[in-house]
Amino acid sequence: MTSISVIICCYNSELRIGTTLESLLAQQFKSAVSWEVVLVDNNCADQTVEVARKTWGGYDVPLRVVKESTPGLSAARDAGCRAATGNYILFCDD
């Protein structure tokens, strides 16, 4: 079965992450696809992680939060790739 890891790198994204995750949840697939969301907390100083967990709560698709303390998109993407378990990786902006 095909599996996809959707990586979202976040820095102070609490005002956007809920809408981003709701849009991901609305996706429909024509065939069986296993997928996960890897949210990379890149030194967020707001409630990004809490909003993400609240928005995602109760769904069968795994949401994993990874902390990356080195600032910057490259470091965050690297952390997301290391945590990903899917056959394919998709980066999604918040």
Side-chain angles (χ1 to χ4, degrees), residues 1-2 5-6 9 20 32 65 69 71 79 82:
M1 176 184 295
T2 300
S5 294
V6 179
C9 300
T20 302
V65 177
S69 58
R82 285 190 303 272

Side-chain angles (χ1 to χ4, degrees), residues 1-4 28-35 87-88:
M1 176 184 295
T2 300
S3 61
I4 301 169
Q28 297 180 3
F29 301 99
K30 292 183 179 183
S31 61
V33 174
S34 170
W35 62 294
N87 301 104
Y88 297 96

Side-chain angles (χ1 to χ4, degrees), residues 50-61:
E50 292 80 2
V51 171
R53 286 188 171 136
K54 182 178 179 183
T55 302
W56 204 260
Y59 290 97
D60 292 335
V61 177

Side-chain angles (χ1 to χ4, degrees), residues 7-58:
I7 300 173
I8 307 172
C9 300
C10 297
Y11 175 73
N12 295 340
S13 305
E14 74 177 310
L15 298 178
R16 300 177 300 277
I17 195 62
T19 303
T20 302
L21 293 174
E22 288 168 357
S23 295
L24 284 173
L25 287 167
Q27 300 301 305
Q28 297 180 3
F29 301 99
K30 292 183 179 183
S31 61
V33 174
S34 170
W35 62 294
E36 67 176 352
V37 172
V38 178
L39 186 141
V40 181
D41 174 356
N42 196 206
N43 292 317
C44 294
D46 63 2
Q47 301 296 309
T48 298
V49 173
E50 292 80 2
V51 171
R53 286 188 171 136
K54 182 178 179 183
T55 302
W56 204 260

